[in-house]
Structures are given as structure tokens and as C-alpha cells.
């Protein structure tokens, strides 16, 4: 795979996912989970649904 641009690297970082989860939690009052995806172009995903495999959960924003 080719090198990611610095902007892309920031956008797909855990810190960016955590910021999204915090904003989504504040807007909806629902718990949000940051999960690993295994996809190098989207390594983290923010969701309100608890994943089946607990080892995929990296953080819970409650």
C-alpha cells in the first residue's frame, strides 16, 4: 500500500475517531463505541451498537 498523506493520516487516527465519538455522544446522549475495523483506510469506526466481539472495542464514550 502507498504512503498516506498527512491529512489522511490525521483523519483516520484514533484521536479523530475519539473526537467524533465525543461530539456524537453530546448530540445524541447515546453511548458510542470506537471499534477496530481491520481496514487500513478506515482503521476505526464510531458506532452506537456494541460489536459482537468485545475485543474489537477500543473505547466506550458514555
Amino acid at each position: 500500500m502507498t504512503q498516506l498523506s498527512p491529512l489522511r493520516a490525521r483523519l483516520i487516527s484514533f484521536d479523530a475517531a475519539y473526537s467524533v465519538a465525543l461530539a456524537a455522544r453530546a448530540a445524541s446522549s447515546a453511548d458510542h463505541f470506537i471499534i477496530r475495523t481491520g481496514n487500513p483506510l478506515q482503521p476505526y469506526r464510531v458506532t452506537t451498537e456494541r460489536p459482537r466481539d468485545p475485543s474489537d472495542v477500543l473505547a466506550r464514550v458514555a
Side-chain angles (χ1 to χ4, degrees):
M1 190 163 118
T2 62
Q3 180 87 11
L4 298 175
S5 73
L7 177 58
R8 165 86 59 187
R10 273 195 317 242
L11 290 173
I12 66 171
S13 69
F14 178 84
D15 291 339
Y18 190 71
S19 292
V20 168
L22 286 174
R25 169 68 171 112
S28 71
S29 299
D31 290 356
H32 284 72
F33 300 90
I34 301 172
I35 61 171
R36 76 179 88 239
T37 66
N39 179 346
L41 293 178
Q42 184 189 9
Y44 310 107
R45 185 165 48 99
V46 175
T47 182
T48 56
E49 295 185 25
R50 185 182 302 266
R52 290 186 188 132
D53 185 355
S55 68
D56 286 341
V57 176
L58 300 174
R60 178 181 179 189
V61 178

